[in-house]
Amino acid sequence: MTSQKKMLLIAISAILFFICLVTLIMNLKEKNMIITSDTRLLVENTTVHLIEHDGVQVAYDNGFPIPEFSTWKMNEESRQYISLNGEWRFGHEDEISCTDADLACSDKAYNDSAWSVQKVPASLDLAYDNGKYQYSFGAFWFRKTFKVEQDWEAKFVKLNALGMGYHSAIYINGTKVGENEGSATSFSFNVSPYLNYGEDNVIAVQIIRPPHDQNDDGALPAGGFDWWDYSGITRDIYLEATAPQTISKVIIDASPLKERVNAYVVLLNYGKEAADLSLQVQPGVENVAAQTKNVTMKADEVKVVTFEFDTPAIEAWSTESPKLYQLKAEIKNGDSLTTQYGAIDVEVGDAKVLVNGSPEWFKATNWHDENKESGRSMSPEEYRAEIDVAKNANANLIRNAHYNRHPYAYEYADQIGMYVMDEIENYWLSEKAIAHQLYEKGLSREKAIAMAWNQVNHPSVIIWSVANENTPNNTTHLAWFNDMRDAVRSVDPKKRPVTYASNTQHHPVDMSMSAADIIGFNQYYGFHGGEAADYGAEQYREKLLEIHERYPSKPIILSENGTWSSLGDRAREQWQAGNFAAHWDVTVSYPFTAGYTFWNLKDYRSKMEYTSRDPQRLSGMGMVDWAARSPKVVYYYFQEATSRGANRIMNPRFDRGIEEWQIISSQKEQAYTIVEEGMQISLNASDTVTLKQNAFDLLAGSYVVELKVRGLQGQAIAGKIELKSSYLSGGSLVKEFDSSGLIKLPFTLTHNGVTNVTVNLHLEGTQSNEQILVEQVDLFPELK
């Protein structure tokens, strides 16, 4: 070969190599997967994943450790914030011009003055143009101008978004910062390289909402699902600026039984140079001193620094006493982060869930976080109103069906003492979709990691749930669950139990139950399949015993059960309450159950076809209604249910006046007064008062009516309890009062199906000005 040919070949090879190199670099930059001097990403993997640092698993997303999102309240003094809530320019792709001939919608110079002005956060379905977009799909664009001060140039600046989607793409000044998939998980981007400091900046967000009927094995959920797919920038969005050497997060493991607090401080040096830091941690426990450690960090390095504190004075967090502490981690003359936490221990064993060393039973309800005014973009006040409904119903646990919540929901649960079962969007996935998630896409695992990382410090979060009603009885599902369970456990130093909700009616055998810490299963016997004559109670009992026999050491939680009703349709309301009572009674009959979870706290919107005839697309399965949170009959049944069973007496304590009680009196003037302790009744000689109520929806079995009365001692009041039913011997049973103050009348019903019993309380005065206080009337089953 001649020298000229050699030179030509070398030149061609060099050109081809250069073209390939440029192409590779451009592709990597497009995917935000290359470490360059201007983006300075710490890792190439932009998905949610774990990297071990100093023996601790750290969750990464978009190239750096996932930060703490409790800063949405913007109260960390060492940091600076810009809220991006408020007015944004807005347009749907069919209504705005972003063609190739024009500037792209993301460009800073694009003229968006013709777009409408809408508020953020908000749900497209309800907030914009009176719900104009609730049935609109495709791409929605949002734009906002904001100014960043010059002194931010020396800082590490993050864009924190608490919820948007389903698909979202973020642009700063025309450059794509990154993308996110999913609507309910908080996420963050490093935007330091993209900002213009000391001048105006433009953020553009593209939201893509898939059609209701779209099936996508890579999406979560993959296709149909029984709730509403609120879209848009639905939760708070803000910029957070810290020193380059920053505290990303503190993982706290506070144990009241061991009297220890361990704090794992995740440090990030975003600076260009190495740094020597003095890091101090104060656990916030009385008489426990702060500790200080010196740390040397390289540029673009992440470290985890561990602090261990003996805390003999620490108080346990519980639903009765939700004691909270504040830990402060601070870099001397630099960044700081305050984290709220509670001390709690959770274990599972011998078919029990132990909380702080004692068995716990969960009186629970499922919940969708939405209302008719704000959709899924509720304010703290609206969140409190929603969660208070569950608290006032005497629930001690709320299941976040079927996705993560705004950080405030967890903060409020911490404050008021409400357990939480947190959950992610693995819902109704086929075996094919499960395999795609497990072996190809990995979004299921990402959501599991992010859930545990973001909520790990909340003492209220007591159970992690990673899936709901998928196709379970196969080795693929088992491997998928194990993958998510192990990821959650690696993040959570407390090793709180991990579960999922199985659908035992459609999938009677579920091998994956063997891997769950707690067995959760959904069943609607008597409603979705099964025999309706007894609300499906006996079929449920058979399934419960079958599962226990197969897994005798595991506690079981009924994770869903309920039926439809409409507020004001008393027959349907009563059927819903009876259905609840029958299944509650079975659940509390056995020592291996750990809880009952009602479906649902409130009526909710659903995209499923069965709601299409309702303008608001409502599913009426709530214990309160959608519009005003007004209680249905089942709310009061749930409120009064105890380990003894469901109480069939409505308003047994008289705390709602005389609602549900018919009062018949021989006096012309009112003979009773509602007081804090119950119903105060005044009687003179020959006066009579009868309190009457129907107890509906009793199945065959043994029951007892109990009456708590004060004021009988030393008085000559005559009284009796009378029960009436066509299934009682002679049609009625009677028991007269004595002076004990506690009257019990057992009875048995033998019949097929459902019946009711009328409870009459008769009081008759024998002398003047006699006083009696009826504290409570109960009707409980005699459980098997």
Side-chain angles (χ1 to χ4, degrees):
M1 183 179 293
T2 65
S3 59
Q4 286 183 324
K5 288 183 178 180
K6 286 182 179 180
M7 292 296 294
L8 180 61
L9 183 60
I10 291 172
I12 293 172
S13 299
I15 292 170
L16 290 174
F17 175 79
F18 179 76
I19 292 172
C20 291
L21 181 62
V22 170
T23 302
L24 176 63
I25 291 173
M26 293 302 293
N27 287 337
L28 288 173
K29 281 189 174 182
E30 177 66 22
K31 296 179 180 180
N32 284 328
M33 292 180 65
I34 189 169
I35 302 174
T36 66
S37 58
D38 60 334
T39 59
R40 295 172 53 235
L41 297 173
L42 297 172
V43 295
E44 294 181 0
N45 189 343
T46 59
T47 65
V48 179
H49 62 286
L50 296 172
I51 297 178
E52 183 177 311
H53 292 281
D54 307 295
V56 176
Q57 294 289 343
V58 175
Y60 278 67
D61 188 18
N62 300 312
F64 63 101
I66 299 176
E68 175 62 57
F69 293 109
S70 65
T71 58
W72 71 275
K73 294 175 289 190
M74 306 180 188
N75 58 359
E76 200 64 49
E77 293 181 1
S78 65
R79 303 182 175 192
Q80 293 173 278
Y81 301 91
I82 296 175
S83 172
L84 297 179
N85 293 349
E87 292 185 347
W88 287 56
R89 293 288 181 175
F90 166 82
H92 184 267
E93 61 181 347
D94 292 339
E95 302 169 340
I96 58 178
S97 175
C98 291
T99 64
D100 293 338
D102 300 320
L103 287 169
C105 286
S106 60
D107 288 343
K108 183 177 181 180
Y110 179 85
N111 183 0
D112 58 18
S113 60
W115 294 14
S116 66
V117 178
Q118 304 290 349
K119 74 170 186 175
V120 165
S123 297
L124 291 173
D125 312 79
L126 300 178
Y128 299 163
D129 294 337
N130 296 316
K132 172 183 177 181
Y133 299 101
Q134 65 176 316
Y135 304 116
S136 296
F137 307 100
F140 298 84
W141 279 92
F142 299 79
R143 286 172 55 93
K144 186 178 181 69
T145 301
F146 61 94
K147 185 174 182 178
V148 175
E149 297 301 327
Q150 186 65 49
D151 64 353
W152 278 36
E153 189 168 14
K155 298 181 181 296
F156 174 49
V157 186
K158 302 184 295 294
L159 172 71
N160 292 341
L162 304 187
M164 66 170 67
Y166 180 70
H167 292 276
S168 54
I170 315 295
Y171 300 82
I172 300 290
N173 298 322
T175 301
K176 181 185 283 189
V177 175
E179 299 182 23
N180 187 72
E181 183 173 0
S183 302
T185 302
S186 301
F187 62 93
S188 181
F189 289 112
N190 168 21
V191 295
S192 303
Y194 308 103
L195 295 171
N196 296 323
Y197 297 95
E199 58 184 90
D200 285 344
N201 294 262
V202 172
I203 179 173
V205 177
Q206 183 193 48
I207 300 290
I208 298 179
R209 184 190 193 187
H212 278 174
D213 58 356
Q214 175 173 308
N215 289 307
D216 178 0
D217 287 340
L220 293 179
F225 51 93
D226 187 19
W227 72 85
W228 195 257
D229 57 334
Y230 291 97
S231 190
I233 304 175
T234 54
R235 295 176 182 161
D236 300 271
I237 180 170
Y238 62 101
L239 295 172
E240 181 178 40
T242 71
Q245 296 77 36
T246 183
I247 301 168
S248 295
K249 191 176 182 72
V250 182
I251 302 293
I252 302 172
D253 181 9
S255 168
L257 298 181
K258 297 177 182 177
E259 298 180 338
R260 298 279 290 172
V261 172
N262 293 337
Y264 308 95
V265 183
V266 182
L267 297 176
L268 163 63
N269 181 13
Y270 186 69
K272 298 179 181 179
E273 306 292 337
D276 294 321
L277 310 177
S278 178
L279 176 65
Q280 182 182 83
V281 172
Q282 169 55 260
V285 181
E286 187 176 1
N287 298 323
V288 178
Q291 295 180 14
T292 302
K293 293 187 177 182
N294 295 322
V295 184
T296 298
M297 299 190 71
K298 301 174 184 177
D300 284 344
E301 185 179 24
V302 173
K303 279 190 174 181
V304 177
V305 185
T306 300
F307 292 80
E308 299 179 352
F309 299 90
D310 292 320
T311 54
I314 199 163
E315 298 179 31
W317 184 97
S318 68
T319 54
E320 295 79 19
S321 178
K323 175 66 176 178
L324 295 172
Y325 297 90
Q326 288 193 332
L327 180 147
K328 185 171 184 179
E330 185 172 14
I331 299 171
K332 185 177 180 181
N333 299 321
D335 188 37
S336 64
L337 180 64
T338 302
T339 304
Q340 187 165 272
Y341 70 98
I344 191 169
D345 287 299
V346 187
E347 294 180 89
V348 173
D350 194 24
K352 297 286 189 296
V353 179
L354 302 179
V355 179
N356 299 329
S358 299
E360 184 63 278
W361 209 90
F362 302 110
K363 183 179 183 180
T365 181
N366 291 275
W367 172 51
H368 281 296
D369 65 332
E370 61 179 349
N371 66 18
K372 68 184 183 67
E373 291 81 19
S374 304
R376 192 144 293 135
S377 306
M378 296 190 298
S379 66
E381 293 76 18
E382 289 171 312
Y383 269 109
R384 290 197 297 271
E386 294 284 306
I387 298 173
D388 283 348
V389 173
K391 188 72 172 179
N392 294 335
N394 295 326
N396 67 355
L397 182 144
I398 195 162
R399 178 186 176 214
N400 286 342
H402 300 284
Y403 42 83
N404 293 171
R405 302 305 196 250
H406 187 288
Y408 182 76
Y410 305 97
E411 294 166 11
Y412 187 59
D414 291 343
Q415 294 168 19
I416 68 171
M418 175 69 78
Y419 292 131
V420 172
M421 180 191 298
D422 211 18
E423 193 164 273
I424 51 179
E425 304 98 307
N426 291 313
Y427 184 98
W428 289 0
L429 300 187
S430 66
E431 186 175 356
K432 178 185 174 185
I434 291 169
H436 182 69
Q437 287 294 340
L438 177 62
Y439 299 119
E440 296 181 57
K441 186 158 187 180
L443 187 59
S444 292
R445 190 173 195 269
E446 290 189 52
K447 296 301 180 185
I449 292 170
M451 172 180 67
W453 182 263
N454 290 339
Q455 277 74 260
V456 68
N457 291 324
H458 291 287
S460 59
V461 178
I462 198 162
I463 301 170
W464 306 110
S465 176
V466 296
N468 179 83
E469 292 189 1
N470 300 289
T471 306
N473 196 41
N474 54 79
T475 55
T476 304
H477 184 281
L478 178 59
W480 178 62
F481 171 77
N482 285 339
D483 181 57
M484 292 185 290
R485 179 204 60 199
D486 294 346
V488 168
R489 284 178 176 172
S490 68
V491 170
D492 181 9
K494 292 184 180 297
K495 303 298 184 281
R496 280 164 280 200
V498 184
T499 189
Y500 67 97
S502 180
N503 184 342
T504 58
Q505 283 179 259
H506 292 93
H507 305 285
V509 179
D510 181 355
M511 67 171 63
S512 299
M513 286 181 176
S514 63
D517 297 315
I518 297 171
I519 292 176
F521 76 98
N522 303 345
Q523 64 83 14
Y524 294 89
Y525 290 118
F527 173 44
H528 286 310
E531 298 296 330
D534 66 345
Y535 304 107
E538 288 309 307
Q539 287 176 290
Y540 167 44
R541 188 188 304 276
E542 292 172 7
K543 178 58 65 177
L544 188 62
L545 292 172
E546 174 190 320
I547 294 173
H548 173 63
E549 183 178 4
R550 191 175 295 132
Y551 308 107
S553 66
K554 292 182 181 290
I556 300 174
I557 291 178
L558 181 59
S559 41
E560 285 184 28
N561 173 249
T563 182
W564 283 306
S565 74
S566 297
L567 184 68
D569 184 341
R570 189 52 183 266
R572 293 299 305 174
E573 283 191 55
Q574 198 65 54
W575 202 92
Q576 182 188 40
N579 181 81
F580 158 74
H583 291 267
W584 175 274
D585 288 349
V586 173
T587 308
V588 299
S589 296
Y590 300 102
F592 54 80
T593 61
Y596 171 100
T597 316
F598 184 76
W599 185 270
N600 192 47
L601 177 64
K602 192 179 72 172
D603 294 345
Y604 60 97
R605 300 184 79 217
S606 172
K607 72 171 192 172
M608 297 299 289
E609 181 63 26
Y610 74 90
T611 66
S612 60
R613 288 179 291 179
D614 185 291
Q616 298 186 87
R617 301 299 296 265
L618 292 179
S619 175
M621 297 185 74
M623 66 172 74
V624 302
D625 82 317
W626 162 265
R629 307 184 191 95
S630 299
K632 303 178 187 178
V633 171
V634 71
Y635 174 90
Y636 300 115
Y637 270 47
F638 182 94
Q639 188 179 54
E640 296 298 328
T642 70
S643 59
R644 293 189 58 186
N647 188 358
R648 270 61 169 199
I649 294 292
M650 288 284 292
N651 192 14
R653 298 187 305 272
F654 306 96
D655 54 356
R656 301 192 306 278
I658 63 169
E659 184 180 350
E660 303 303 332
W661 287 98
Q662 181 182 359
I663 311 295
I664 304 169
S665 174
S666 63
Q667 301 180 68
K668 293 182 180 179
E669 296 183 0
Q670 183 172 305
Y672 58 88
T673 304
I674 304 302
V675 296
E676 184 176 352
E677 297 84 359
M679 179 179 284
Q680 184 77 49
I681 300 176
S682 302
L683 292 174
N684 292 307
S686 301
D687 289 341
T688 61
V689 172
T690 299
L691 282 68
K692 181 179 181 180
Q693 183 180 149
N694 285 322
F696 293 93
D697 304 314
L698 278 70
L699 303 175
S702 298
Y703 299 85
V704 61
V705 172
E706 295 183 2
L707 176 68
K708 297 178 182 178
V709 181
R710 279 195 289 166
L712 292 178
Q713 293 81 0
Q715 299 196 40
I717 294 174
K720 62 182 179 181
I721 295 179
E722 180 183 31
L723 303 180
K724 292 185 177 182
S725 173
S726 57
Y727 291 98
L728 289 170
S729 177
S732 66
L733 286 175
V734 177
K735 185 166 185 177
E736 296 185 351
F737 289 3
D738 56 28
S739 61
S740 67
L742 178 62
I743 299 96
K744 293 186 177 182
L745 177 56
F747 65 98
T748 299
L749 297 174
T750 55
H751 60 96
N752 294 320
V754 176
T755 190
N756 67 291
V757 170
T758 301
V759 179
N760 292 302
L761 170 59
H762 298 290
L763 298 170
E764 182 178 347
T766 59
Q767 56 190 30
S768 61
N769 196 28
E770 294 177 297
Q771 302 292 316
I772 185 170
L773 179 68
V774 183
E775 291 184 310
Q776 190 155 343
V777 184
D778 297 318
L779 196 165
F780 283 112
E782 295 286 358
L783 298 176
K784 294 182 180 181

